[in-house]
Amino acid sequence: MAKATHVPYLVTGTNEYGSANLGRGSARVALRIARKLLRDGYMDVRVCTPRGRVLQSDELDELEPQQEMDGMAKGQQRGNREAKKPKKEKAKVIAAAPNRKEAAWQPDFGPAKKR
């Protein structure tokens, strides 16, 4: 006996020869099948969603995926964390370079006492 598979979207349509019941796994494919049935002359084309809502042929645009939701991959989305301040740049000191400060005048206190 064949194993039953669960399909979330069911597309149905009726023409002069009978009816068609097609199960599809995604909203995009179900929408494409429903529009194809309408072009082929089927009447009473309906799509049943996973939540049990039945969409008539004039309500099929509600199955269109939202562009904002599918726009970016998870790695491309920006978080809401505040950006860190850039660190203050420090002047690099090269040990081999001579000191370029000029010697300032320093007072002479005379000879130091020896003990």
Side-chain angles (χ1 to χ4, degrees):
M1 190 166 188
K3 184 179 177 184
T5 58
H6 177 71
V7 287
Y9 292 92
L10 181 65
V11 182
T12 61
T14 307
N15 66 0
E16 63 265 14
Y17 301 110
S19 63
N21 295 318
L22 304 166
R24 293 297 182 254
S26 69
R28 182 175 294 172
V29 177
L31 182 61
R32 186 174 25 171
I33 294 296
R35 288 182 177 159
K36 183 181 183 307
L37 291 177
L38 286 171
R39 281 193 310 268
D40 291 344
Y42 280 76
M43 302 171 288
D44 196 27
V45 175
R46 297 177 184 183
V47 176
C48 182
T49 64
R51 292 188 171 194
R53 183 167 178 215
V54 178
L55 301 174
Q56 300 293 333
S57 58
D58 59 340
E59 300 172 324
L60 292 178
D61 293 334
E62 295 179 24
L63 280 179
E64 289 281 341
Q66 297 294 328
Q67 295 297 331
E68 294 83 22
M69 298 234 180
D70 298 335
M72 287 188 281
K74 185 157 181 107
Q76 294 175 336
Q77 292 176 352
R78 292 177 177 240
N80 60 353
R81 289 181 115 185
E82 192 173 316
K84 291 183 179 179
K85 290 182 179 179
K87 291 185 177 180
K88 187 176 179 180
E89 290 189 29
K90 296 179 181 177
K92 291 186 179 180
V93 178
I94 302 173
N99 189 359
R100 296 186 186 249
K101 290 184 181 178
E102 291 185 24
W105 176 83
Q106 293 186 2
D108 185 21
F109 293 113
K113 293 184 180 177
K114 292 186 179 179
R115 287 187 186 198

